[in-house]
Amino acid sequence: MKKIVLLFIGISTLLQAQKKDVSLEDIWRKGTFRADYMNSLNSMNGDYYSLLNNKEGSSSVDKYDYKTLEKVATIVDSKDLNELKTFQSYSFNSDETKLILGTNFKSIFRHSFLGTFYMYDIASKTLRLIGEDIQRPTFSPDSKRVAYAKDNNLFIRDFSSNSLVQVTTDGEKNKIINGITDWVYEEEFGFVKAFEWSKNGSNLAFLRFDESAVKTFSMDVYGKEKYPTQEVFKYPKAGEDNAKVTLHVYSLATNGTAKIIFGDYEYIPRINWTKDDNVLAVRTLNRHQNDLKMYFINAKTYDTSLILNETDKAYVEVNDDLTFLNDNSFIWTSEKDGFNHIYHYNKKGELINQVTKGNWEVTSYYGFDADKKTVYYQSVENGSINRGVYSISLKGENKKVLSNPLGTNSASFSRNMHYFINTFSDASTPTVYSLRNDAGNVLKTVKDNAALKEVVAKYNLSKKEFSTININGNDLNMYTIKPVNFDSNKKYPVLMYQYSGPGSQNVKNSWNGANDYWHQMLAQDGYIVVCVDGRGTGFKGRDFKKVTYMNLVKLETEDQIAVAKKLADLSYVDAKRIGIWGWSFGGHMSTNCLLKGNDIFATAIAVAPVTTWRFYDSIYTERYMRTPEENPTGYDENSPLNYPELLKGKYLLIHGTGDDNVHVQNAYRMAEALIQANKQFEWGMYPDRNHGIYGGNTRLHLYTKMTNFIKNNL
């Protein structure tokens, strides 16, 4: 028996030795583990979708049949257009007879950009310029006009009369913005286009941002010239003045604009026209973001009605799930029963029924089939690390699972909700794209990443082990990556990874991202990698998420420290060699853990960290902390700037100097605090790189630096 066991071990070791090790070049230069993705679908009228395809120096919009996934037509190809060699975006008008084609994009912030846009008429095959260096061109419902923003003003180009109307004239950089959101709305409310056509195209509603009182932030841009330049923009930090936002409606009939006066608010995070041509739905929030109101505003009379009012002891989040049905009743999602669920209200804002119920969360709302009176959504009802796709009647009956029950599933539905592309992966299966009907039946596998699975099989990759760990009275989701040749009789160093931000999730049953391959590379070198989602993270209910309110990173830090101490008790863990790393919020956490947990953490890496919430933006920070004036202890007792003397372990601090989100000011002030406390540390500054710290060889350099730091200090 001993000979058989020894023979098996010998063969297993030989097979492992024949496999390749993951390298940084595999991850960041060669693209060895790059998955085969399916281009984002644009659902069309009927059972069709379109794709933007690029080939041999040209771009085309091609039409496909959902039933067969076969191409049925090429709608436009840039090789047939003299004025346009390629294009990077497209959008249809309502009856799909025209398109807006975009090119020459110039990035502004995370989501915003300028571009040159054209209108293409499919029947006549003609191309007409809409404008250069403009933002968010949008067809009117009758397709005769296109509204867009340029230089902080709104314009309407009328192609039927070949005229241009300037809707606003007071736009000015760092002062007045019309129809486009400011930096903080774009980043924290997640939208850029702040104008909407009414359903009949007779009115254009828009938001106006007066940034005059907002303080300016500036960043040096070093570039390649002799002198650096400065990027200067308005950035409201916690407790400071926000832009004054007002609602306006422009009437095409009168060529006049009305300022709409209603309610008391700090923010207008969404405007949406209802099914009624003259009724605009407007959502507002107070500064604490715990009192959300939705108003219906009549665009003819400007009468205002409060339709819905949702409050919370902590905060109410804004999303894009609001859907108006033909009778102007609407679908709404809310956490008001303790978990995020779907609700149906009538047009007066009276609850008809709660559509989904249970101690689990709806994570995405996909749409409503009016003919079948069926709602489609994604949820975690099969465990908070999984995602499934479901259907349910509007009355909350006949629920069906339409996807794999476990793993991570998401859906892209046809416009009529008859078909969807299901995107599935789990920790051991690369992404699989399949065509399904509305009953969930698989009609065809589109892509299965079989080639990637073959590539991965040639490498020494460890299994990602999912579990829970009881910390401070909560069963927290956890995964562990151990070396392939793990021996429980040996002692191993541990590197913990986390993000920990409100509503976030790192422990999920899905295929690898770039960091997973880096963690696998570290496991090859004898490290155990552990990730735990502590209190404040998402998909386990309102109370679990909002328990950190007013004290961001306090409980989260306590949880990670407790995890480290529990890991230290394991027989195969070297208790003196436990480290932690994170990016952004996770960098704040790793810094805090190294200082406040200096009796257990030996090392930490912080990439682009917040080091005091006083430096971060108003909307995000105050949602979870209120203002510094209201909550000074919450801000200061959890800021590592205030206790640098606690540093005992090895610390690597990294930031991009062009970070418009978490400003490099955070890193510089942390460095200064450590210097004045006479604490040695390592750091790396990446010139002109933003919050993502990428471009060229930047990521390869960054992860090489982090790898060397870990090998030398953990």
Side-chain angles (χ1 to χ4, degrees), residues 406-559:
L406 301 178
T408 299
N409 297 269
S410 62
S412 176
F413 276 87
S414 61
R415 188 168 295 178
N416 56 20
M417 310 304 288
H418 291 173
Y419 301 94
F420 69 96
I421 300 294
N422 188 75
T423 303
F424 163 79
S425 76
D426 62 23
S428 58
T429 309
T431 307
V432 176
Y433 300 90
S434 60
L435 173 67
R436 300 182 182 227
N437 60 22
D438 56 5
N441 299 320
V442 178
L443 305 180
K444 186 177 182 180
T445 298
V446 185
K447 294 179 184 288
D448 61 6
N449 272 296
L452 175 59
K453 204 162 188 176
E454 290 180 7
V455 169
V456 168
K458 298 175 183 177
Y459 283 80
N460 282 315
L461 299 184
S462 303
K463 181 181 179 182
K464 183 182 282 187
E465 302 172 8
F466 292 101
S467 60
T468 59
I469 183 170
N470 190 269
I471 298 294
N472 295 319
N474 296 280
D475 290 327
L476 306 179
N477 292 335
M478 169 178 173
Y479 73 68
T480 306
I481 300 173
K482 298 174 182 174
V484 172
N485 57 355
F486 174 75
D487 182 348
S488 60
N489 294 313
K490 293 183 178 180
K491 294 277 189 181
Y492 294 90
V494 172
L495 179 66
M496 292 169 56
Y497 167 65
Q498 47 64 57
Y499 177 75
S500 303
S504 66
Q505 185 179 52
N506 280 126
V507 183
K508 51 188 174 183
N509 189 9
S510 62
W511 185 242
N512 299 331
N515 280 334
D516 291 299
Y517 290 110
W518 184 55
H519 293 156
Q520 290 282 353
M521 192 191 85
L522 295 175
Q524 289 169 179
D525 292 331
Y527 294 90
I528 294 175
V529 178
V530 172
C531 180
V532 174
D533 283 334
R535 284 174 289 178
T537 56
F539 314 115
K540 300 183 80 171
R542 177 190 62 199
D543 295 343
F544 184 83
K545 178 176 68 175
K546 295 181 178 178
V547 69
T548 62
Y549 184 61
M550 299 289 277
N551 284 289
L552 277 191
V553 308
K554 180 180 186 295
L555 300 181
E556 302 94 317
T557 299
E558 291 175 5
D559 282 352

Side-chain angles (χ1 to χ4, degrees), residues 56 141 161 189 210 231 245 279 311 341 348 414 419 511 530 556 578 641 676 678 691:
E56 298 175 0
S161 63
F189 287 140
D210 184 345
E231 181 69 26
V245 183
V279 177
T311 61
H341 281 296
K348 295 180 180 179
S414 61
Y419 301 94
W511 185 242
V530 172
E556 302 94 317
I578 299 177
L641 298 185
Q676 294 310 317
N678 197 27
H691 196 55

Side-chain angles (χ1 to χ4, degrees), residues 20 52 62 69 89 101 110 112 116 138 199 232 274 276 321 344 360 406 455 457 483 511 556 574 623 682 698:
K20 301 177 184 178
L52 173 61
D62 299 309
L69 300 180
S89 73
L101 305 177
R110 189 191 296 262
S112 55
T116 299
T138 305
K199 298 302 179 184
V232 180
T274 70
D276 186 323
D321 296 338
H344 183 206
W360 44 267
L406 301 178
V455 169
W511 185 242
E556 302 94 317
D574 186 338
R623 180 185 301 151
E682 294 185 34
T698 303

